[in-house]
Amino acid sequence: MNRRDALQHVAILLGGAISAPVMAGVMGEKTYTGESLRVTLDQESLLAEVADIIIPTTNTPGAKAAGVEKFILRVVRDCYTKEEQKSFYEGLSKLDADSKTKFGKGFSDLDTSQKNEIVKQTTVDNKPFFLKMKELTVTGYFTSEIGATKALEYLPIPGRFEGCVPLKPGQKAWAL
């Protein structure tokens, strides 16, 4: 099985198809060669915080520990047009502005329950941004070393193929 087939299987496991720009980014391709927007350290930090609410640390490391924000930055820079980049970062800014309006402080300074509330609000108020952010976060996480080895079962050298294997209660799904 090649990497592209494996990623398509991951997409199916995650509940849908991976968009073309994200798939290109996962494959390390660069589909946009124009001028990209400059991203500040504050925006990068905010991306890490939002991603960590989408996939928090539990008994496995979360999105922040996996460095998902680096994946998101690279895919947005290399695979999204300048207009798509602008729209994405405007959505990120709106999320931060909404937290300042509602709680009087930026998203990064909120406690976990407040962050969850703002992200839930974003799923309604700015659904296109949230869906894009969720897709990038989930794909970045499960294609990272941490996601593939800590959150999923991982067998570096697989044995024979067994198409139907019963899982024990609470057992993790297998990494592809």
Side-chain angles (χ1 to χ4, degrees):
M1 176 181 293
N2 66 32
R3 185 176 169 101
R4 183 176 306 264
D5 291 337
L7 289 172
Q8 288 170 342
H9 285 85
V10 168
I12 291 167
L13 280 173
L14 299 175
I18 298 175
S19 69
V22 175
M23 182 62 120
V26 170
M27 301 299 292
E29 297 175 14
K30 187 172 184 172
T31 60
Y32 178 69
T33 57
E35 184 181 334
S36 294
L37 296 177
R38 301 230 183 256
V39 179
T40 66
L41 290 175
D42 289 340
Q43 287 172 312
E44 183 176 342
S45 174
L46 184 56
L47 276 174
E49 293 295 328
V50 176
D52 211 49
I53 290 299
I54 294 171
I55 301 180
T57 298
T58 55
N59 58 345
T60 58
K64 190 188 269 187
V68 168
E69 73 279 2
K70 301 289 187 196
F71 172 83
I72 294 170
L73 290 170
R74 186 182 57 75
V75 171
V76 171
R77 180 192 66 223
D78 291 350
C79 302
Y80 285 30
T81 66
K82 192 168 186 176
E83 286 304 312
E84 291 169 327
Q85 291 175 32
K86 184 178 177 189
S87 173
F88 181 78
Y89 290 116
E90 283 173 353
L92 187 65
S93 295
K94 182 179 180 338
L95 181 140
D96 199 42
D98 289 347
S99 73
K100 288 176 183 171
T101 300
K102 189 165 188 167
F103 297 108
K105 49 188 170 180
F107 185 82
S108 298
D109 298 323
L110 301 177
D111 63 42
T112 304
S113 65
Q114 292 170 325
K115 287 179 181 179
N116 282 324
E117 192 174 328
I118 291 295
V119 170
K120 284 179 186 173
Q121 179 182 327
T122 302
T123 65
V124 175
D125 295 348
N126 196 357
K127 192 171 183 175
F129 165 75
F130 176 75
L131 292 175
K132 205 173 277 190
M133 181 69 192
K134 181 180 170 189
E135 175 187 34
L136 288 163
T137 300
V138 170
T139 305
Y141 182 74
F142 286 107
T143 57
S144 73
E145 182 177 353
I146 286 176
T149 61
K150 305 286 186 202
L152 299 171
E153 288 290 334
Y154 177 71
L155 189 57
I157 304 172
R160 69 179 192 275
F161 175 74
E162 295 180 38
C164 185
V165 178
L167 298 177
K168 298 173 193 136
Q171 181 179 348
K172 301 177 206 172
W174 287 92
L176 299 176

